[in-house]
Amino acid sequence: RERVSNFVGGNSGQVGSGAWSFPVPGYTGYSTYPGHRGYDFQAPAGTPIYACETGIVVNAGWHYSWGNYVLIDHQNGLYSLYAHCSALYVAAGQGVSRGQQIAAVGRTGNASGNHLHLEVWTDPSGARWCLANPLSYVTPP
C-alpha cells in the first residue's frame, strides 16, 4: 500500500472507545517538524510506553529507521505506531488493552536521543495509508 507522508486534516479525538490515553506519561517534552511523520516525546531510557487504545498487535520487531517498534490495529480503521523502543513487551497477534505497557523508551534505529516516536495511521478509502496528526488523538498531560 502507498504511504502518504502528510497528516490528514479533520481528525477528532473521539474515536474507538473515546479519546486515547497518553502513551508516555513520563515524557519531558515533545516536538515535530515539517515532513516528520509523527510526534517525538522525549523521555529517559526505559520509561514505560503504554498502548493508547485497545487493539491487536500487527507487528513488534525491528525496522531500519524506527528501530524496535510496535504497530497496533485498533480495529476501527486506525493504527498506532510506537518507535525507537529500548524493549518490546508484546508480540504480533497479541491483544492489548488501553493503558497496557507495550514497550520502553529508547533510541534504537534512526534516533539521536531517547524518545517515543508516535504515528497514527488511517485508511479511510481502503486504497492507501494516510497519516493522521497524533495530537488529534492524544493530549500531552
Side-chain angles (χ1 to χ4, degrees):
R1 293 186 178 203
E2 177 186 0
R3 289 199 179 140
V4 178
S5 62
N6 58 331
F7 295 137
V8 176
N11 293 307
S12 164
Q14 298 299 313
V15 297
S17 64
W20 290 7
S21 63
F22 192 71
V24 61
Y27 82 107
T28 57
Y30 66 96
S31 62
T32 194
Y33 50 87
H36 193 223
R37 295 174 48 101
Y39 271 82
D40 293 339
F41 297 94
Q42 295 80 32
T47 300
I49 298 171
Y50 303 100
C52 294
E53 186 58 277
T54 299
I56 304 293
V57 176
V58 174
N59 204 344
W62 177 262
H63 180 273
Y64 74 94
S65 181
W66 297 324
N68 293 323
Y69 77 100
V70 175
L71 176 63
I72 299 174
D73 177 354
H74 301 292
Q75 311 217 313
N76 60 1
L78 296 171
Y79 298 74
S80 56
L81 179 125
Y82 311 78
H84 306 305
C85 307
S86 63
L88 304 177
Y89 303 127
V90 294
Q94 180 178 341
V96 295
S97 299
R98 179 183 195 180
Q100 177 180 337
Q101 186 175 1
I102 57 171
V105 170
R107 57 181 238 179
T108 60
N110 187 11
S112 59
N114 292 307
H115 69 282
L116 163 65
H117 173 81
L118 177 67
E119 295 181 12
V120 176
W121 301 355
T122 181
D123 188 13
S125 69
R128 64 182 188 164
W129 290 105
C130 298
L131 291 171
N133 185 338
L135 296 185
S136 294
Y137 298 91
V138 301
T139 302

